[in-house]
Amino acid sequence: MAHSENFSKKNFSLVWEDVKEIIQTADFAFANIEAPVCDNREWSSFPFFNMHSSYVRASIDAGFNVFSLVNNHVNDQGKEGIISTNEIFFRLKEENQDKSRKIYYSGIKSPENKDFSPSSLSSSDNLSDSEKRILSLQNKFNYTIIKEKGFTILFLAVTEILNQNSFKSMVNFVEPGKRGIEELSDFIKEVRSLENPDFFILSFHTSEEEYIIPVKESRKKQYRSYLDSGADIVWANHPHVIRERELFRDKENGKLKKIIFYGNGNTISGQRRNPQYKNPYEERDYTGDGLLYEVKLCKKIMGECIEIILEEEKAHYISTYIDQERNFVLKKLNNNFIETLENKGENVKARYFTERKKICEKTKEENIWQ
């Protein structure tokens, strides 16, 4: 996110300096861009956000290369903001096409969609039936296919919450409730069957109250239904605090099969603008922490059999630190960072981040055997 505390500082690379080695280690690093990106409008903070492409470019330079563009703020700047966001990411994709880290994104429907211009379905006479169906599905929910490193990964980003009802047909919007759950589940089943990816990742911006850590059983049931339909990872956004995660494992061999993240907190934002250093358990202070979660895919070919497994997983906790120049930057929430604060004589802050580290490490991680 980009609050005024973030975009008022112009050296955006400082944000990522301490954590970019984690991000760049991954072939694909996923992030949610929670604002329109429109260079023709002023920067804007809550309640109607807008960021400029320079802020996004800093995250790309840090290593992020797969983006969710859809959330409750996607239409904060109206139709112009949606179109601008799509155009800027298309341009970023083109600029990085020949580089080692290509850019991918999902959440805003393509310009050929009827809400941008006349539908492209009229020019599809020469396509096969399956290609026509794929084109139709892309008009319903725009997704991206990543083909690199010998893998085919399907990435779909959707939201079931918008702060305004305008222009919802231009983005991947899912109606909250039973009907929307069934519609998305059916979509996942069909697109998985037609595209046949090795791996399916769903970014889901959820219509829940923010800053609440406990997860309702109804929400768990909903996300598990998406796994049953063909998703491999459900990555939920919107709570702005780190919540529990579920690791689904094969009870016969112990291998990790699927994951649900119920909320990974924030990477960068200005929400923890006044840290309560003497009370690290203050509710708002949870918004300054985030989880970078590393997952390793492995493809094993045994004769005619191909097995795709999640071979390793690792949690990296990060936290927002406000330096002496009031730059909001990210730090790895580990002992080295805390020792650095102690060596600088910042003992109050050291004690604060020690407690924040303990809080993050207590985040529930449940193994579910199937």
Side-chain angles (χ1 to χ4, degrees):
M1 303 190 75
H3 294 83
S4 57
E5 291 84 358
N6 308 118
F7 59 69
S8 62
K9 309 301 179 183
K10 299 307 178 185
N11 187 0
F12 300 137
S13 63
L14 291 177
V15 172
W16 309 102
E17 191 65 35
D18 193 58
V19 300
K20 65 182 182 181
E21 64 178 302
I22 301 174
I23 302 166
Q24 293 174 356
T25 298
D27 294 307
F28 312 110
F30 294 73
N32 173 48
I33 298 289
E34 192 143 345
V37 186
C38 187
D39 290 337
N40 295 329
R41 295 194 175 195
E42 294 294 323
W43 292 85
S44 182
S45 189
F46 182 84
F48 299 108
F49 285 91
N50 183 53
M51 66 175 67
H52 287 186
S53 57
S54 55
Y55 198 72
V56 176
R57 288 179 183 276
S59 71
I60 291 174
D61 290 342
F64 284 112
N65 60 341
V66 188
F67 296 93
S68 163
L69 304 183
V70 67
N71 44 70
N72 55 308
H73 291 290
V74 66
N75 59 351
D76 278 5
Q77 300 298 320
K79 186 175 183 178
E80 181 185 357
I82 296 172
I83 293 174
S84 173
T85 304
N86 191 70
E87 289 177 345
I88 285 172
F89 270 87
F90 181 80
R91 189 159 63 245
L92 290 169
K93 180 180 179 180
E94 291 290 295
E95 290 175 9
N96 290 273
Q97 190 62 37
D98 297 325
K99 297 180 180 179
S100 59
R101 296 179 75 84
K102 298 178 176 61
I103 303 300
Y104 302 92
Y105 53 92
S106 171
I108 295 176
K109 296 180 182 179
S110 64
E112 289 76 22
N113 183 271
K114 63 183 179 181
D115 296 290
F116 288 87
S117 61
S119 174
S120 62
L121 292 177
S122 60
S123 60
S124 62
D125 296 339
N126 296 325
L127 299 178
S128 67
D129 289 342
S130 62
E131 289 172 330
K132 289 179 181 179
R133 186 56 190 153
I134 288 173
L135 187 58
S136 176
L137 288 171
Q138 282 278 15
N139 275 268
K140 189 171 187 177
F141 294 125
N142 182 268
Y143 57 90
T144 189
I145 300 291
I146 303 170
K147 290 190 175 183
E148 288 192 49
K149 309 288 183 178
F151 291 91
T152 300
I153 299 170
L154 190 150
F155 176 56
L156 169 65
V158 303
T159 186
E160 63 171 3
I161 180 173
L162 293 169
N163 291 347
Q164 307 174 84
N165 287 324
S166 54
F167 310 112
K168 65 172 63 176
S169 61
M170 296 175 68
V171 302
N172 288 350
F173 177 72
V174 178
E175 293 286 348
K178 182 179 179 181
R179 181 178 176 181
I181 294 171
E182 292 176 350
E183 179 185 29
L184 181 57
S185 294
D186 290 343
F187 180 89
I188 292 170
K189 288 177 184 176
E190 185 167 10
V191 76
R192 175 112 206 188
S193 175
L194 285 169
E195 296 283 11
N196 193 30
D198 296 321
F199 210 69
F200 191 129
I201 299 176
L202 172 67
S203 171
F204 192 91
H205 210 84
T206 172
S207 180
E208 294 181 90
E209 187 177 354
E210 297 170 304
Y211 319 123
I212 303 299
I213 293 176
V215 182
K216 294 180 179 179
E217 286 302 316
S218 59
R219 189 60 64 174
K220 291 186 176 183
K221 182 179 179 181
Q222 177 181 352
Y223 293 166
R224 289 171 184 173
S225 73
Y226 299 146
L227 296 187
D228 293 340
S229 297
D232 296 295
I233 287 182
V234 175
W235 159 41
N237 314 293
H238 190 62
H240 297 289
V241 292
I242 300 174
R243 305 170 96 190
E244 65 183 273
R245 50 194 177 271
E246 293 177 332
L247 309 180
F248 295 80
R249 298 185 183 276
D250 191 315
K251 61 184 178 182
E252 298 296 328
N253 56 33
K255 292 179 180 177
L256 180 61
K257 300 193 298 181
K258 302 198 175 194
I259 304 175
I260 298 176
F261 299 105
Y262 289 100
N264 286 2
N266 289 328
T267 48
I268 191 62
S269 79
Q271 289 186 300
R272 191 170 68 190
R273 55 182 57 87
N274 294 305
Q276 301 300 300
Y277 290 121
K278 294 184 178 180
N279 182 18
Y281 288 84
E282 176 69 28
E283 182 177 298
R284 195 69 172 181
D285 284 52
Y286 284 74
T287 64
D289 299 324
L291 171 63
L292 297 176
Y293 205 81
E294 183 179 352
V295 180
K296 184 177 180 180
L297 289 181
C298 182
K299 178 182 285 188
K300 294 185 177 180
I301 302 175
M302 298 166 287
E304 297 182 357
C305 180
I306 300 177
E307 181 185 28
I308 307 294
I309 61 172
L310 302 179
E311 193 171 54
E312 297 177 9
E313 43 82 25
K314 183 178 181 181
H316 301 273
Y317 294 105
I318 60 175
S319 199
T320 299
Y321 174 69
I322 305 173
D323 67 18
Q324 292 181 340
E325 287 76 38
R326 291 289 294 177
N327 292 303
F328 283 56
V329 300
L330 293 173
K331 295 292 184 179
K332 288 175 280 190
L333 194 50
N334 58 23
N335 292 333
N336 288 338
F337 168 52
I338 294 167
E339 288 172 5
T340 299
L341 292 175
E342 291 172 339
N343 292 336
K344 291 164 60 178
E346 298 182 9
N347 294 320
V348 173
K349 291 182 180 180
R351 287 192 292 270
Y352 172 84
F353 283 106
T354 297
E355 290 304 308
R356 292 307 315 168
K357 179 174 178 287
K358 291 177 182 177
I359 291 168
C360 289
E361 291 174 345
K362 289 179 181 178
T363 305
K364 184 179 178 182
E365 180 176 291
E366 182 178 2
N367 288 306
I368 298 176
W369 303 94
Q370 295 181 324

